[in-house]
Structures are given as structure tokens and as C-alpha cells.
């Protein structure tokens, strides 16, 4: 039986990944802070005949992160879904600096640590891979979600670089860039989203792209066009355009 690790499995896109992977016969290791949510998900998976384990952790806390990385080094991991993340909406001068640091820690540093924890064993075996959850925001400056967009730009560049480094090793990295998706994300970030895709649809497209060894996936045709705009418009225009779209989104 294959083993997949899903961070941020207690809601939204991560929960959808966990359910889908378990349904396909993969054992899933569920990581997030809210233990009761993870235990309920584990029960649902077990009662459907699947296998799941709960590893509760706050991935912004070094002690928790290191403990998870140690456990991962001792597991045979076939797939890591680096999904845990959150956003922060508002003018940079008005957002909470501590929350911003936590976001950078979770969206960037933890993702890198978890990636490094599983990669050596995958390369040694010559199999397995990682799905990294970035965003359509990875491609554009995102005024009013400025730091969030920058964290997701990091995820895209880091992961595409890694994918190229790993060519020929048997290990693949698929970076998934969702647009607005139904989950707890917008409420927690403090803004309104429009034209939402279901979390299940994001997970479904992502698993298919991973299976096809695609390097990058933008979910949805409209989102795909949005991410291509910077090729045709000056970067300063992109910033101004997104500022108009993102202003007054509370
Ligand atoms: N929804 C959207 O519109 C989009 C989302 N994304 C990305 O998708 C990913 C998933 O978000 P989504 O499902 O939408 O949002 P949710 O808020 O529904 O899910 C976020 C998940 O991350 C977990 N998480 C948050 N903080 C921590 C932490 N400190 N330690 C461990 N786990 C944590 C949460 O669990 P818990 O609170 O229990 O710890 C939760 O399971 C994120 O990386 C997000 O940036 C990208 C583009 C668009
Ligand atoms: N790309 C999204 C966030 O990551 C959004 O459109 O809200």
C-alpha cells in the first residue's frame, strides 16, 4: 500500500486530497493543528475501508516541524502534498506583522523543510513525488495580499527549479496553482472571493496532473488566462490591475 502525507488536511483542499487518496487505496497521514477535525476525517476514512493516521502539528512551531520531519524520514513516503497555508488581506501597513511572519513560516519555510525531509529517500528509491500548492497569485504582484502573493511566487519558483533538478531521478514535483477555491481560506484571510471552484475539483485536477507528471497546473481556464497576462502586459500594469481587483474586498 502506498503512503501519502497531506498537510492542512483538516479542511478545504487538503481534506479533499486526503479523502480522494484514501478512496484510491492510499494510506494517508493527516497533518494540521485541529486534532478533532483530523480524528473525524480519519474515522470517516477507516469506516470507508481506508487507512489513515493523524499527526497533529503546528507547522509554524519549530519543535513541531522538526518532530514531523524526523517522523517523515523514518516513513516510506510515496507522495507529499505540501498544502497547509494561509493568506493575509489588507494594506501592508495595517496587517499584523506577527501573523505575516507566521504566514511566511508556514507557506515558505515549512514547505521547504518538509520537502527536504522526504526528498532524499525518494531519490534513493527512484520513485515518489511531491505536490506543492502554490496559487494563481504566484504569477502576479498581488497588492493588498502582497506578502501572501510573494510566498506563493516562492513556492512556484522553488518547485519548478526542483522539478528540473530532479529530471531523470524518477521523482516528480507537480506545482498546483489554484484560483479562488471554496474553503476556509478567504474567511481566515479576511477578504471576499468570487467565482469559486470546489476544493474537490482542485484536488481531482491536481492528482491527475501529478499522475501525468506535469510540472505545473493552473486550475480552470479563466485562471490559466489570468496567469498568462504578465507575458503580454508590462509588470507595472499587472500590479495596477490586481490592485483594482483586490481593493475593497472585505
Ligand atoms: N482557497 C483558495 O482560494 C486558494 C487556496 N490556495 C492554497 O491552498 C492551500 C490550502 O488552503 P485552503 O484549503 O483553501 O484553506 P483552508 O483554510 O480551508 O485550509 C488550510 C489548511 O492549512 C492548515 N493549517 C493552517 N495553519 C497551519 C499550521 N500552522 N500548521 C499546520 N497546519 C496549518 C489548516 O488546518 P488547522 O487550522 O487545523 O491547522 C487547514 O487544514 C493553501 O496553501 C492556500 O494558500 C491557493 C490558491 C487559492
Ligand atoms: N489565488 C487566490 C489565492 O491564493 C485567490 O484568487 O484568491
Amino acid at each position: 500500500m502506498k503512503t501519502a502525507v497531506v498537510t492542512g488536511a483538516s479542511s478545504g483542499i487538503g481534506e479533499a486530497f486526503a479523502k480522494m487518496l484514501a478512496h484510491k487505496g492510499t494510506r494517508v497521514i493527516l497533518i494540521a493543528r485541529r486534532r478533532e477535525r483530523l480524528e473525524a476525517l480519519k474515522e470517516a476514512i477507516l469506516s470507508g475501508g481506508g487507512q489513515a493516521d493523524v499527526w497533529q502539528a503546528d507547522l509554524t512551531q519549530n519543535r513541531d516541524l522538526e518532530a514531523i520531519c524526523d517522523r517523515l524520514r523514518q516513513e516510506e513516503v510515496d507522495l507529499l502534498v505540501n498544502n497547509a497555508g494561509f493568506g493575509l488581506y489588507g494594506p501592508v501597513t495595517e496587517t499584523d506583522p506577527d501573523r505575516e511572519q507566521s504566514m511566511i513560516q508556514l507557506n515558505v519555510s515549512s514547505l521547504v523543510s518538509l520537502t527536504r525531509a522526504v526528498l532524499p529517500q525518494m531519490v534513493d528509491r527512484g520513485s515518489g513525488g511531491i505536490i506543492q500548492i502554490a496559487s494563481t497569485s504566484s504569477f502576479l504582484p498581488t497588492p493588498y495580499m502582497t506578502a501572501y502573493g510573494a510566498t506563493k511566487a516562492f513556492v512556484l519558483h522553488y518547485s519548478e527549479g526542483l522539478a528540473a533538478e530532479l529530471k531523470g531521478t524518477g521523482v516528480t514535483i507537480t506545482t498546483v496553482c489554484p484560483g479562488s477555491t471554496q474553503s476556509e481560506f478567504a474567511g481566515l484571510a479576511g477578504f471576499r472571493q468570487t467565482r469559486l471552484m470546489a476544493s474537490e475539483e482542485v484536488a481531482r485536477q491536481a492528482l491527475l496532473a501529478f499522475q501525468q507528471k506535469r510540472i505545473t497546473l493552473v486550475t480552470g481556464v479563466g485562471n490559466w488566462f489570468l496567469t498568462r497576462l504578465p507575458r503580454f502586459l508590462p509588470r507595472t500594469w499587472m500590479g495596477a490591475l490586481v490592485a483594482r481587483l483586490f481593493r475593497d474586498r472585505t
Side-chain angles (χ1 to χ4, degrees):
M1 181 179 248
K2 295 208 178 245
T3 296
V5 177
V6 182
T7 70
S10 61
S11 80
I13 298 171
E15 183 179 349
F17 266 114
K19 285 180 176 163
M20 237 163 258
L21 285 161
H23 187 70
K24 288 174 191 284
T26 303
R27 168 188 168 230
V28 278
I29 295 173
L30 312 169
I31 300 178
R33 291 168 302 180
R34 286 171 292 178
R35 179 179 285 282
E36 64 295 348
R37 290 273 198 113
L38 297 179
E39 293 292 352
L41 177 57
K42 175 182 168 178
E43 280 315 307
I45 289 172
L46 295 187
S47 61
Q51 277 201 34
D53 292 292
V54 169
W55 292 6
Q56 185 209 14
D58 181 340
L59 297 172
T60 64
Q61 299 301 311
N62 283 337
R63 215 174 56 177
D64 280 16
L65 181 61
E66 278 165 24
I68 292 287
C69 289
D70 283 344
R71 290 180 80 174
L72 286 177
R73 287 186 202 100
Q74 288 154 34
E75 283 282 338
E76 191 169 311
V77 178
D78 298 289
L79 169 65
L80 166 65
V81 184
N82 253 327
N83 163 78
F86 69 89
L88 188 58
Y89 177 81
V92 166
T93 51
E94 291 174 24
T95 51
D96 177 355
D98 292 336
R99 195 153 167 75
E100 185 179 69
Q101 285 300 329
S102 284
M103 178 180 70
I104 295 168
Q105 171 69 46
L106 182 63
N107 296 8
V108 176
S109 305
S110 310
L111 176 139
V112 170
S113 298
L114 294 165
T115 299
R116 293 184 73 108
V118 299
L119 259 191
Q121 53 155 299
M122 288 180 177
V123 172
D124 284 349
R125 288 200 312 270
S127 69
I130 305 176
I131 296 177
Q132 310 278 35
I133 304 299
S135 166
T136 47
S137 305
S138 303
F139 295 85
L140 319 154
T142 54
Y144 304 104
M145 291 191 83
T146 297
Y148 172 74
T151 67
K152 292 298 180 176
F154 176 92
V155 175
L156 179 65
H157 282 241
Y158 175 74
S159 308
E160 287 184 340
L162 204 49
E165 277 188 34
L166 291 168
K167 198 168 163 44
T169 63
V171 180
T172 59
I173 311 285
T174 298
T175 306
V176 176
C177 304
S180 299
T181 305
Q182 186 86 54
S183 72
E184 296 177 0
F185 176 84
L188 289 170
F191 81 128
R192 262 181 306 112
Q193 285 178 316
T194 50
R195 291 178 287 111
L196 296 166
M197 183 178 276
S199 284
E200 291 74 16
E201 180 56 17
V202 172
R204 189 192 67 76
Q205 289 189 23
L207 288 173
L208 183 62
F210 178 71
Q211 200 185 317
Q212 293 170 339
K213 303 188 190 310
R214 284 181 62 181
I215 292 172
T216 312
L217 167 74
V218 177
T219 58
V221 179
N223 290 328
W224 186 85
F225 275 109
L226 176 71
T227 61
R228 263 50 198 172
L229 278 181
R231 287 191 187 172
F232 306 107
L233 297 177
R235 287 185 72 76
T236 47
W237 289 22
M238 289 310 308
L241 178 72
V242 179
R244 283 184 67 164
L245 288 174
F246 275 23
R247 196 178 292 138
D248 302 328
R249 279 286 195 98
T250 48

